[in-house]
Structure formats: structure tokens, C-alpha cells
Amino acid sequence: MVALLRALAGSGLLIATTVLAQAADPVKLRVADSFPKGHYLVKLILEPWMEEVTKRTNGAVTFEHYPAQQLGKATDMLKLTQTGVADIGYVAPAYTSDKMPVSEVAMLPGAFEHSCQGTLAYWKLARNGVIAEQDYTANNIRLLLAVSLPQYRIFTVKHPVKDVGDVTGLKLRSTGGAQDLTLRAIGSVPVRMAAPDAYESLSRGTMDGLLFPLESVVAYGADKLVKYATDGVGFGSFIVSYSISDSAWKKLTPEIQKAMTDVADEIIPSACKSVQKSDDETKKSLEAAGTRFETLSPEVTVKFKDLMKGVAKTWSEGLDARSKRGSDALKEFDAAIAAIPAK
């Protein structure tokens, strides 16, 4: 009889525990970014990741996505994530180059040829390297997703860029930091602003053009304004990354943490291929719509590359002077790129 009561008591405890587990509400995380609704990067990276993490955790975690700066400006995403306004934020290092300067090693001109080269190198070093230590650990955030955009081009409204003299004095949109150095090196005037603000500035004529990736030209409506684009020279890149604060991360169960990490590791290598493919397809559609792509001659290409040759050194030495280990980051990144095929 005693044994039976003990068994029933044990069963009761098991049933109660199961009921409590089933009744527990799932963890709901707010995800914020500045991308317009339906942006290709959200479709290629963020949405598949959120869906698969929810599926793999059997609904133990769900996500509420706030696009188009609904929770705050792109330039404020680091602070919004650190303070818990957003649990996961689109923390683009270029928009917070004063806080995350080392990440710009992946945004230097000509640093890589294919999106996957830049993506996989950054993904590795931002989790275990100088970038991880100085840009993430120091800011109490953890990288969840990242992709390097294909090389940036110069887009202009009034005149095509056929030679280096054509960019002299042009006011071009920049994300700041390394892109500012790049534009100054070729003789242009950088106008620092986040992507969502570029259309209005361009339409008012306060800028002559953009330093932009192809897809963003379309996503932010600038394709209705620009008429010309360069082709054949890479003027830098941009890191798109989502991060979570350390405090929010520590509140998650080990199972949820593992699901988030595993799914990212699975998605990112294929996502960067899709990003590069999308870039090629967008070029064709823009050409069909009337945007003229100027393929720079070999001589002009050499001129631009010569002008930009010292940007990486200037950038790294500038960080070294601030004790930010720019040269170490450049060495690590170059080594990582060399180990990854261009295609």
C-alpha cells in the first residue's frame, strides 16, 4: 500500500511537472531593424533563421519583428539592443563605428571579391578574434547573424563616372568610418547617413550620388533617381549583422542558445551565395530599366585602385593609435580571406 501511494505520488509529481512545462509561455523576443518591409536580406537571412529556431525549439522561443525603424533609428540600434528596447537588433558596425571600429576591416575597398569570402571571414573572426573581443565583448553584445554585402558601387544622378576626375568633389553618401576614408582617397566628399535617409537627400540635390550596394538602391527607392553606376571596381562593402545583448542571451536556456547558433551556422554559407546571386540579378533588372553601368577601362581601374591602395593602412594605423589593434585585425582578416575561395 505504501509503495502504491509512493508510485501515485511520483506520477502526480510527473503529471504536475508536465502540465507546468506545457503551460509555460514561450520566450518572445523583439527583433528590430531599419530595413523596409519585404527587404531581400530579411527574406534571405532573418526570416528563415527565426522560423527554423522556433521550429527547432518546438515553439519555446518566438519572435516579433519590427522593421523600418519602428523601434528606433538604424544608428541607435546598438543602444536599443544594449538597453533591452529590442532583444535582438540590426547592429550594423558601420553605423556605430565609434563603438565598433574594428569590424570595418571587412568594409575596406577591394577586401574580397565574393560576398561569401567577406561573410565567412567576418563570421569567424567576429566570434573568435580581435573583432569579437573589441567590437562585441566590449559592447556586451553577441553576434547572431552576419553577411557581407557585395562590393559597393558609385551611383550618380547627373553624370557618369568614366575616370577618376569624374568623382572629384562629388558629394556621395557614406556610412562613415572606412567608407569616409575611401571616398576622400578618390577625391570625393563623404556625406555620412544611414541608408533609409539617402533617398530624401538625393532627391533634394544635397548629394550627387551614392556609395551603395545594388540591392539597396532598389530597396530604398533610389533607382528612381540614379541614372549611372560604376562597374569593375569595388569601393568597399558593408556588414549586415543582428546581435543580442549579453543579458538577454543569458536568460535563454542552453537549448535555445544552441538552436540559435546551429541554425545560423547552417544558413549563413548559403545565404551569402544568395546575396551575391541577387546582386547579379538586380544589375540586369536595373540595366533593363535604364540605369547605365559604366565598365571602367583597365587603365582607369588601376588609377582607382592606386588611389585606394593606402586606405587599409591609414585605417589600421588610425586604430592602432587609439589602442584598437587595427593592424592585428587587418592581418587576421586578410589571412581568413586568403583561405576562402572567391567563388
Side-chain angles (χ1 to χ4, degrees), residues 314-334:
T314 300
W315 173 84
S316 61
E317 290 180 349
L319 290 190
D320 289 345
R322 294 161 50 195
S323 301
K324 295 295 183 180
R325 298 179 62 194
S327 295
D328 290 342
L330 184 60
K331 184 177 179 181
E332 280 189 358
F333 192 76
D334 286 346

Side-chain angles (χ1 to χ4, degrees), residues 106-183:
M107 305 174 214
L108 296 169
F112 54 86
E113 295 179 35
H114 192 282
S115 173
C116 285
Q117 280 185 300
T119 297
L120 298 178
Y122 186 81
W123 182 239
K124 175 184 177 181
L125 300 178
R127 295 187 298 167
N128 185 24
V130 175
I131 297 172
E133 177 187 332
Q134 300 205 164
D135 284 4
Y136 288 91
T137 301
N139 283 299
N140 299 311
I141 59 173
R142 172 182 289 265
L143 182 64
L144 293 177
L145 293 166
V147 68
S148 293
L149 298 186
Q151 289 287 305
Y152 274 37
R153 303 163 186 268
I154 293 173
F155 293 86
T156 50
V157 176
K158 295 181 178 179
H159 307 289
V161 172
K162 296 182 178 181
D163 207 336
V164 293
D166 296 328
V167 301
T168 302
L170 286 185
K171 296 189 291 293
L172 302 175
R173 178 262 177 178
S174 164
T175 58
Q179 287 190 5
D180 282 0
L181 293 176
T182 299
L183 289 177

